[in-house]
Amino acid sequence: MALLSLSNIHKTFEKGTVNENHVLRGLDLDIEQGDFISVIGGNGAGKSTLANAIMGNSTYTVDSGSIIFDGKDITEDAVNDRAKAGIFMSFQNPISIPGITVENFIRTAKSTITGKNVRALSFKKELKEKMDELSFDVSYAQRYVNEGFSGGERKKNEILQMSILNPKLAILDETDSGLDVDAVRIVSEGVNRFHNEDNAVLIITHHNQILQKLKPDFVHVLINGKIVKTGDASLVREIEEKGYDAYKALA
Ligand code: ADP
Ligand code: MG
């Protein structure tokens, strides 16, 4: 049984208005435990919509279709219940949260998700270990979440949350956007360290930089709100050469 199974997902924004935008159009996607997969597609293809729909973020809940996660129908579940069930999403543009430190934010999230008290001392130790792995200076633990963080620091902060919350499924939306080569390397190493046979990683991206560092088992091409082609990592190179246009006929 798949860890995540999306069937016939539809999502329309501004439904019923002249601006109606049918973004996800009968999308099917299965992710197995242990999978490391990528969804690629051009700007506006619906990649972030897909990620947010799986996470259940407000305004992105689907219009129809079903989302089964870990054997349970979560189509109607709230975002916090999906997080508790083991889904994590790293945002394309992480927001800042003035007044809340990185340490408090992640500790609270961990205790909410696990339903257990997280002891301050052992948490501090774990946080420091994970920050060291990401070459993320430990002083950032006491800074407000993403306040004044560079693009690279924001992404490191996302990877830090992921590694501590230890989800069953991690969805990373454009994790490489705006990162320099060193940050791409550090973030990629963090993702590779996280991935194992018991979890799954979905990398969403429109370009190739991170897929040279991370080697997904499968690549799915998203065009016009559907997965139109699935292949191995070589598909990325093929698309670089031909562009997405060559696949539009399949949509
Ligand atoms: P991608 O991540 O592949 O670049 P998005 O999923 O962000 O694409 O966007 C796909 C389409 O959905 C775009 O036309 C975009 O304007 C629309 N869209 C995305 N989010 C919203 C939203 N919150 N409200 C209205 N339209 C949205
Ligand atoms: Mg996007």
Side-chain angles (χ1 to χ4, degrees):
M1 187 186 58
L3 175 64
L4 177 78
S5 187
L6 303 179
S7 26
N8 202 17
I9 296 294
H10 285 266
K11 176 65 185 177
T12 300
F13 293 104
E14 318 241 7
K15 216 172 177 173
T17 71
V18 283
N19 295 322
E20 184 168 292
N21 187 0
H22 193 174
V23 177
L24 301 179
R25 299 164 166 262
L27 182 141
D28 297 317
L29 178 68
D30 275 0
I31 301 178
E32 307 285 337
Q33 192 176 28
D35 269 0
F36 192 160
I37 71 162
S38 179
V39 167
I40 60 174
N43 288 320
K47 302 181 300 298
S48 293
T49 301
L50 169 64
N52 281 288
I54 298 171
M55 192 71 238
N57 286 320
S58 61
T59 73
Y60 289 93
T61 47
V62 301
D63 301 327
S64 62
S66 73
I67 308 177
I68 311 290
F69 181 71
D70 215 6
K72 187 170 168 279
D73 188 331
I74 60 159
T75 318
E76 305 288 333
D77 285 7
V79 57
N80 55 325
D81 290 327
R82 298 187 200 202
K84 279 182 198 160
I87 306 178
F88 171 88
M89 172 185 169
S90 158
F91 289 93
Q92 183 167 358
N93 300 304
I95 54 158
S96 54
I97 314 177
I100 300 187
T101 64
V102 167
E103 177 171 338
N104 277 337
F105 179 78
I106 304 180
R107 189 172 157 213
T108 305
K110 186 173 180 182
S111 116
T112 307
I113 284 172
T114 59
K116 289 186 194 127
N117 233 337
V118 177
R119 287 174 49 234
L121 259 173
S122 59
F123 182 74
K124 260 192 197 311
K125 190 166 163 265
E126 183 186 13
L127 190 66
K128 182 173 183 324
E129 274 170 22
K130 303 282 189 201
M131 290 183 88
D132 286 348
E133 285 176 357
L134 289 166
S135 310
F136 201 9
D137 194 279
V138 76
S139 64
Y140 280 75
Q142 301 314 322
R143 285 183 50 178
Y144 294 152
V145 175
N146 291 327
E147 271 268 284
F149 282 24
S150 70
E153 290 161 352
R154 284 174 190 240
K155 295 295 156 137
K156 281 187 194 176
N157 187 31
E158 299 278 301
I159 301 301
L160 179 65
Q161 289 168 39
M162 175 185 77
S163 61
I164 290 180
L165 299 177
N166 198 20
K168 291 179 190 149
L169 171 66
I171 305 166
L172 307 169
D173 189 10
E174 304 281 6
T175 292
D176 47 349
S177 66
L179 298 188
D180 63 28
V181 283
D182 292 334
V184 167
R185 181 179 51 76
I186 290 167
V187 163
S188 309
E189 285 168 2
V191 175
N192 280 330
R193 245 192 324 269
F194 165 76
H195 177 244
N196 62 41
E197 285 309 305
D198 296 324
N199 60 29
V201 175
L202 168 59
I203 305 274
I204 293 183
T205 189
H206 74 281
H207 55 132
N208 178 347
Q209 195 185 16
I210 204 152
L211 297 178
Q212 290 167 349
K213 293 274 187 305
L214 297 170
K215 294 271 178 274
D217 304 313
F218 301 106
V219 174
H220 301 279
V221 184
L222 177 65
I223 290 178
N224 274 346
K226 262 191 215 148
I227 304 293
V228 299
K229 192 169 166 80
T230 296
D232 60 17
S234 67
L235 192 53
V236 178
R237 268 196 308 280
E238 207 178 301
I239 285 170
E240 282 234 302
E241 284 161 23
K242 294 188 196 160
Y244 288 109
D245 280 349
Y247 296 89
K248 287 204 172 129
L250 300 171

